[in-house]
Amino acid sequence: MRTSTESALRLTVYVGENDVWRHRPLYSEIVHRAREAGLAGASAFRGVEGFGASALVHTTRLLSLSEDLPVAVVIVDRPERVRGFLPELAELVEEGAVTLDEVEIVRWARESDRDGDQNQHGDEGEAR
């Protein structure tokens, strides 16, 4: 097994679960737009508790009346590709926060891949 590393940028968009874009959940719209933009990947994570600019705590606890839980959409790709996606986000996110973090991607590959053999998944999962 061998490893390789490369620098990347992680974009995290923090929105509310009930935020929408043209009748579609905002987090879903962001994920689909990231896919259409050809980014390496995007995932949406639902929080169990949190607060934002309103300072109102949203939680999944049984006795809480809040259902608008926090959602984080995480995208990792090459820095220029992530930064190129920011104008798309500006169109979508009316209220929320975005963070950018420099990260390092670690990839594992079988030794046979070193000889130019493709694994059974072809080039899936490679950063663009």
Side-chain angles (χ1 to χ4, degrees):
M1 190 69 60
R2 65 181 172 86
T3 61
S4 65
T5 61
E6 65 181 276
S7 295
L9 198 60
R10 176 179 53 212
L11 166 78
T12 306
V13 186
Y14 301 92
V15 297
E17 182 179 37
N18 292 341
D19 294 345
V20 294
W21 173 259
R22 298 187 179 164
H23 308 292
R24 180 182 207 172
L26 179 58
Y27 62 85
S28 179
E29 185 68 21
I30 294 168
V31 168
H32 284 83
R33 294 251 188 131
R35 183 173 183 261
E36 290 168 9
L39 293 168
S43 298
F45 300 94
R46 183 178 189 223
V48 295
E49 187 168 60
F51 72 93
S54 71
L56 178 63
V57 175
H58 302 275
T59 181
T60 59
R61 283 182 278 170
L62 187 59
L63 298 177
S64 173
L65 298 176
S66 174
E67 294 180 9
D68 186 21
L69 295 168
V71 175
V73 180
V74 179
I75 299 167
V76 178
D77 205 331
R78 292 183 183 160
E80 64 274 9
R81 296 180 58 76
V82 170
R83 290 189 187 282
F85 188 66
L86 289 174
E88 186 98 26
L89 279 180
E91 177 186 333
L92 297 173
V93 181
E94 291 180 14
E95 185 175 320
V98 174
T99 60
L100 294 170
D101 304 293
E102 292 180 9
V103 296
E104 196 169 331
I105 298 173
V106 179
R107 297 186 189 281
W108 285 271
R110 287 179 247 135
E111 288 297 325
S112 62
D113 291 346
R114 176 180 59 195
D115 301 325
D117 296 339
Q118 281 193 336
N119 65 28
Q120 59 181 275
H121 300 293
D123 62 354
E124 285 182 32
E126 289 186 17
R128 298 170 192 216

